Amino acid sequence: MTKPDPRDAIIEHLPALRAFAVSLTRNTASADDIVQDTIVKAWSNFDKFKTGTNLRAWLFTILRNTFYSSRRKVAREVADVDGIHAQRMAEKPAHDGRLQFADFKAAFAQLPVEQRETLMLVGASGFSYEEAAEMCGVAVGTIKSRANRGRLRLAELMHLDEEGPVELTDKATAAIISTNGWNAM
């Protein structure tokens, strides 16, 4: 005759486990979650249960430990429903910025000197078209044309399109490109 499997007896203890969980949590939904976690833990660790010992006490111990573990976990968690706190804690990897800046520098170096000069004055340095035109001794329309052609060529060289976001960590680089309407940074 084979011995009865103690797993079969778990069902008998569910009402008592649930009542104990409700008394701990004071919330039926949380109690049901803890009972479910308890059963999963017990089932997956049945090799540690000693046949002939008190199954009910073993299950209650697992439930109690699960409850207190979840309370400790909740105490360490930060309520961040809208994700603002997590966003502030996230940081882009430093290598992304260096790689993107290296790509930008290579593309920027391919532009004609007049377009580079214009983009540096208008985009990176923040001068108005009028101020840049005066510094370069050319018409405002010429500066606007150089800036527009330079941005378009940069976008082409860097394989950017208007629909995809541009994520550059260097503010000057982003300023040069973003003036064309792309979503930088």
Side-chain angles (χ1 to χ4, degrees):
M1 181 169 184
T2 62
K3 291 183 181 179
D5 189 350
R7 290 181 179 108
D8 296 336
I10 287 180
I11 294 173
E12 299 170 21
H13 300 292
L14 287 177
L17 287 170
R18 187 169 189 279
F20 183 50
V22 168
S23 73
L24 292 173
T25 63
R26 297 186 193 124
N27 179 305
T28 56
S30 296
D32 289 341
D33 290 343
I34 288 177
V35 169
Q36 182 177 1
D37 290 345
T38 299
I39 299 304
V40 168
K41 287 177 183 179
W43 200 267
S44 61
N45 290 296
F46 242 101
D47 57 321
K48 296 175 184 161
F49 176 71
K50 294 180 180 114
T51 306
T53 60
N54 189 340
L55 177 64
R56 183 181 178 113
W58 187 66
L59 292 171
F60 270 67
T61 301
I62 293 172
L63 187 139
R64 183 182 175 279
N65 291 343
T66 300
F67 170 72
Y68 283 111
S69 292
S70 69
R71 286 197 49 198
R72 282 190 299 272
K73 182 180 175 185
V74 167
R76 290 187 306 267
E77 290 178 351
V78 175
D80 190 22
V81 178
D82 51 7
I84 291 174
H85 182 69
Q87 250 181 345
R88 278 188 264 143
M89 296 190 69
E91 183 177 320
K92 282 184 67 71
H95 68 275
D96 284 355
R98 286 194 303 271
L99 294 172
Q100 290 172 338
F101 187 65
D103 291 345
F104 170 78
K105 283 186 351 184
F108 195 71
Q110 294 180 42
L111 296 178
V113 69
E114 295 85 8
Q115 291 176 3
R116 287 196 315 264
E117 173 187 53
T118 300
L119 289 175
M120 287 301 295
L121 290 172
V122 174
S125 299
F127 290 106
S128 68
Y129 289 118
E130 291 76 14
E131 293 168 327
E134 187 178 319
M135 284 186 256
C136 295
V138 296
V140 174
T142 302
I143 291 293
K144 288 181 179 181
S145 177
R146 287 178 185 172
N148 188 46
R149 285 195 319 264
R151 289 186 188 110
L152 290 173
R153 182 68 180 136
L154 271 177
E156 180 183 315
L157 291 169
M158 294 178 68
H159 308 291
L160 304 175
D161 60 21
E162 293 184 25
E163 294 167 18
V166 177
E167 295 181 10
L168 296 171
T169 55
D170 175 11
K171 294 197 183 298
T173 306
I176 290 171
I177 293 176
S178 69
T179 309
N180 196 27
W182 285 296
N183 181 17
M185 300 182 59

